[in-house]
Amino acid sequence: MVIKPKVRGFVCVTAHPAGCAAHVQEWIAHVKSQPPLKGGPKKVLVIGSSTGYGLASRVTAAFGSGAATLGVFFERPSEEGRPATPGWYNTIAVTAAARSAGLYAKNINGDAFSDEIKRQTLDLIRTDLGQIDLVIYSLASPRRTHPKTGGVHKSVLKPVGQSYTNKTVDTDKGLVSTITIEPANEQEIADTVTVMGGEDWEMWMQALADAKLLAPGAQSIAYSYIGPQVTWAIYKNGTIGLAKNDLERAAKAIDSSLKANGGGRAFISVNKALVTQASSAIPVVPLYISILYKLMKAKGTHEGCIEQIQRLFATQVYSGKPIQFDEAGRVRLDDWEMRPEIQNAVTEIWPQVTTENLTSLTDIAGYRSEFMKLFGFGLPGINYEAEVEPHLLML
Ligand code: NAD
């Protein structure tokens, strides 16, 4: 099959297996180009391991620290005439690379919110790994079926309290327009917290603790975002921000129980805004990311998922020094993004951006190429005219 990109709004419905593998190889190469982590993790569970920050966490643990990794994710295999989702191909690539480096790597594809997938994961840890020392929680999902009630909850990306009007960009067509988003109702707020808040992370950690599968001193990290004032109505103060507040609540509760388990800890790392499948779905944010990329690239401070997570592990979690927490107990990997010189420039550029000057005032080209890379397109050295086998079996 010759696989070409098919972009529909903020998703690409095709993915290129060789391109995804090349993308994963770039990330592995980055981690290998850095000094190995001293005292890094050895047995790692990554929940949401197939794309974005979760995949970067898995690559960093495996190739920076020689860790055994168990990945949990929800991806669709190929079907007749249709390639698999990118996370499927990414996982095959990272698993093959880890195993050829002599590392343990296994995968569980299914709904991480369900009791059944938790049970399968616990069984595999018990049989293969004994106890784990790091749990990364990196799910980004539009819905959750609650394991206790069976209710289906859908998350929404909306402001809270009042409607919000701002600029946004159709990244595919390059059109800048004004968007008004109506505020979420109480049910939508509650549902978003149920999907993207901390309850499921707590359920995972409780299940692992009850089964005695957490090594003494085990740590757990979940990821969040804050961002600049221009996006606060839709992010920090919106439905997703309320869910992230609940994730912070969960971090404190999990932290207390891990501290009692041989001095472990749990915390939130606030990461940089980056092009991922999750972030491309948020209105306004892609325009902000396009401006941010231009400014950070010019300053030489631009990072992608892999640079962020490698920095998190190397300079914070496994640096041999105490972790630097902010006043709310979070690690701030968004520190370079939030520097005043960057944010002041964003504030200056934001009102000026139009469809006509989008390419000169922003890095929309960089946004688009990062977006295509998420699906395995635009990678150097890949012949996109060649036939490629889309039906790869999960390893
Ligand atoms: P992503 O879409 O790239 O990855 C999401 C992962 O979750 C994938 O592995 C997917 O398979 C998995 N997943 C989704 N639903 C699942 C389910 N029901 N069961 C099992 N697995 C499931 O997202 P991302 O941008 O890497 O986001 C990960 C975390 O990082 C989120 O908490 C997000 O809020 C946070 N974050 C993202 C950004 C950003 O700009 N992208 C910035 C800061 C923090």
Side-chain angles (χ1 to χ4, degrees), residues 53 224-228 232 235-236 248 268-274 288 292 296 301 303 308-309 311-312 316 324 326-327 330-340 342-343:
Y53 277 117
S224 185
Y225 183 64
I226 295 176
W232 278 5
Y235 201 98
K236 176 176 167 288
E248 290 191 24
I268 301 280
S269 172
V270 179
N271 297 351
K272 180 194 181 201
L274 282 177
Y288 166 71
L292 183 73
M296 293 188 77
T301 53
E303 297 173 296
Q308 279 262 293
I309 301 300
R311 180 155 73 94
L312 171 67
Q316 295 283 356
Q324 305 290 306
D326 71 3
E327 70 296 341
R330 306 166 298 207
V331 168
R332 301 300 296 264
L333 277 189
D334 63 344
D335 48 354
W336 299 355
E337 168 181 355
M338 298 313 288
R339 282 181 178 161
I342 297 289
Q343 289 305 321

Side-chain angles (χ1 to χ4, degrees), residues 123-134:
D123 286 348
L124 200 54
I125 295 170
R126 199 178 289 112
T127 325
D128 288 8
L129 298 172
Q131 288 184 318
I132 45 178
D133 51 74
L134 177 65

Side-chain angles (χ1 to χ4, degrees), residues 48 50-53 74-75 110-112 138 140 223-224 244 272 274 276:
S50 54
T51 55
Y53 277 117
F74 209 2
E75 301 294 344
D111 182 6
S138 186
Y223 299 134
S224 185
K244 292 297 186 186
K272 180 194 181 201
L274 282 177
T276 66

Side-chain angles (χ1 to χ4, degrees), residues 196-278:
M196 288 297 287
E199 187 193 27
D200 181 61
W201 184 22
E202 289 181 284
M203 285 177 164
W204 270 101
M205 298 310 293
Q206 192 61 53
L208 288 160
D210 289 347
K212 306 214 175 334
L213 298 176
L214 293 172
Q219 307 192 58
S220 188
I221 310 170
Y223 299 134
S224 185
Y225 183 64
I226 295 176
Q229 220 154 354
V230 72
T231 64
W232 278 5
I234 189 71
Y235 201 98
K236 176 176 167 288
N237 298 335
T239 48
I240 181 73
L242 294 181
K244 292 297 186 186
N245 291 348
D246 188 63
L247 197 68
E248 290 191 24
R249 174 204 59 72
K252 292 194 173 69
I254 297 167
D255 188 57
S256 305
S257 57
L258 288 184
K259 283 212 159 59
N261 177 44
R265 64 187 157 202
F267 62 91
I268 301 280
S269 172
V270 179
N271 297 351
K272 180 194 181 201
L274 282 177
V275 183
T276 66
Q277 289 184 73

